[in-house]
């Protein structure tokens, strides 16, 4: 960690302007800015709720016989949500969390230390992974591929650092159709919340204007940071071109996404801690129930490309 660059949690207007023309710089600035509040913003925890969620995404994407992988790499780890919770469930014994954002790597390694997990942290560009061939038997990522300019190049690097037969699992990638309705719902919710909370009786529900301005300025980089959306068929073809075997894409969250995006946006627009435990349980159980509807009912009649989240798995050639 000592050789990694320092985070930039408060980007200047000049840095933001430069980031409009540099997707990788945009990713660093945006995620450094979010690192300190990311877990709260996305209701991330390292307890049974999120352990079950992480393992559920892993099992939805790939087979797992219950035996732990010996050494796992997470690409674009953010604060460590995916790998750290998978490790707590016994999916992997040791891990390396990597991200282009120094702030996120710092947050992930602090979370790992707090949990007592055997984890290293590195600032890494996903198109150029600085580990030798055959270094890992598992590579995972959650909501990372859509930030990488050359996804095929990143998958070739993933396959290179995997040992023969090693597996990769990426989850939480936005589909093209899903991204369109999720962004629209989020924009409507943000505008409605920040407008209504200007009213005097509701001003206690409004974040300070400086925080809203900074949030809006950083959020403006999302059009640069979020480079791709995916069609599941195209994502499978990309993984095969990279050299992967046993490739399979799947999707999830249709009605659940239509609840989830307004809920998350509303949470980001009001002061931290304002909503409380009952709200958190409403959001979580609502998502659970609608996910059940999506999996057991809607997946039979709705085209997979209409669901919000894409998952992709495959193995390195033997």
């Amino acid at each position: 960690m000592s050789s990694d660059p320092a985070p930039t949690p408060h980007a200047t207007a000049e840095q933001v302007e430069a980031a409009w023309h540099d997707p990788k710089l945009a990713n660093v600035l945006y995620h450094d800015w979010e690192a300190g509040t990311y877990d709260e913003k996305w209701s991330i925890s390292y307890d049974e709720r999120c352990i079950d969620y992480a393992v559920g995404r892993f099992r939805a994407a790939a087979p797992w016989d219950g035996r732990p992988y010996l050494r796992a790499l997470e690409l674009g780890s953010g604060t460590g949500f995916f790998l750290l919770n998978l490790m707590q469930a016994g999916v992997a014994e040791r891990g390396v969390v990597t991200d282009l954002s120094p702030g996120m790597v710092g947050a992930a390694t602090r979370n790992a230390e707090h949990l007592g997990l055997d984890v290293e942290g590195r600032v890494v560009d996903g198109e150029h992974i600085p580990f030798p061939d055959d270094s890992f038997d598992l590579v995972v990522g959650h909501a990372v591929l859509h930030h990488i300019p050359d996804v095929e190049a990143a998958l070739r690097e993933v396959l290179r650092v995997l040992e023969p037969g090693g597996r990769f699992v990426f989850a939480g990638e936005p589909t093209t159709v899903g991204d369109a309705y999720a962004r629209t719902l989020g924009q409507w919710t943000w505008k409605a919340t920040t407008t209504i909370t200007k009213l005097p009786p509701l001003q206690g529900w409004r974040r300070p204007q400086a925080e809203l301005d900074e949030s809006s300025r950083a959020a403006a980089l999302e059009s640069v940071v979020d480079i791709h959306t995916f069609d599941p068929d195209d994502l499978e073809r990309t993984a095969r071109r990279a050299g992967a075997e046993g490739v399979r894409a799947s999707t999830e969250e249709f009605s659940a996404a239509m609840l989830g995006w307004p809920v998350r946006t509303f949470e980001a627009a009001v002061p931290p801690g304002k909503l409380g435990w009952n709200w958190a349980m409403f959001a979580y159980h609502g998502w659970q129930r609608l996910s059940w509807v999506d999996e057991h009912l809607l997946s039979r009649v709705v085209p997979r490309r209409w669901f919000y989240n894409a998952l992709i798995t495959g193995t390195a050639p033997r």
Side-chain angles (χ1 to χ4, degrees), residues 47 64 67 105-106 115 128 137 149 161 176 214 240 290 293 316:
D47 53 18
W64 181 48
R67 291 180 294 177
V105 173
L115 296 168
H128 307 283
D137 55 352
V161 300
T176 301
E214 184 178 17
R240 292 190 184 103
L290 291 177
V293 171

Side-chain angles (χ1 to χ4, degrees), residues 38-174:
Y38 193 78
D39 285 350
E40 180 183 13
K41 175 181 177 181
W42 295 103
S43 298
I44 290 172
S45 60
Y46 300 89
D47 53 18
E48 184 177 354
R49 178 177 64 91
C50 278
I51 292 171
D52 289 346
Y53 179 88
V55 174
R57 308 290 66 73
F58 190 89
R59 288 188 179 275
W64 181 48
D65 62 7
R67 291 180 294 177
Y69 290 86
L70 299 181
R71 184 166 166 79
L73 169 73
E74 182 170 13
L75 203 62
S77 64
T79 58
F81 152 73
F82 201 37
L83 181 57
L84 301 188
N85 280 315
L86 290 176
M87 290 179 69
Q88 290 192 96
V91 173
E93 290 185 356
R94 293 179 294 139
V96 179
V97 289
T98 70
D99 201 287
L100 197 59
S101 158
M104 287 295 191
V105 173
T109 53
R110 287 192 296 272
N111 284 335
E113 182 178 3
H114 176 73
L115 296 168
L117 298 174
D118 186 0
V119 170
E120 307 167 39
R122 293 280 297 275
V123 174
V124 166
D125 181 338
E127 295 174 7
H128 307 283
I129 302 175
F131 293 100
D133 297 0
D134 307 341
S135 294
F136 304 94
D137 55 352
L138 176 67
V139 175
V140 299
H142 190 277
V144 58
L145 295 181
H146 68 284
H147 294 312
I148 299 175
D150 191 336
V151 174
E152 186 174 335
L155 289 175
R156 283 197 297 269
E157 279 289 273
V158 166
L159 294 169
R160 179 186 63 78
V161 300
L162 277 172
E163 65 184 30
R167 179 169 295 278
F168 66 83
V169 173
F170 291 97
E173 299 298 337

Side-chain angles (χ1 to χ4, degrees), residues 11 16 19-20 25-26 29-30 216-226:
V16 171
W20 281 100
L25 174 60
L29 296 180
Y30 180 78
S216 296
R217 185 172 69 176
L221 289 177
E222 283 186 330
S223 62
V224 184
V225 168
D226 295 342

Side-chain angles (χ1 to χ4, degrees), residues 254 293-307:
F254 182 61
V293 171
D294 291 339
E295 180 182 355
H296 294 91
L297 301 176
L298 295 183
S299 63
R300 301 176 184 178
V301 295
V302 176
R304 68 174 184 166
R305 67 181 183 276
W306 290 14
F307 285 71

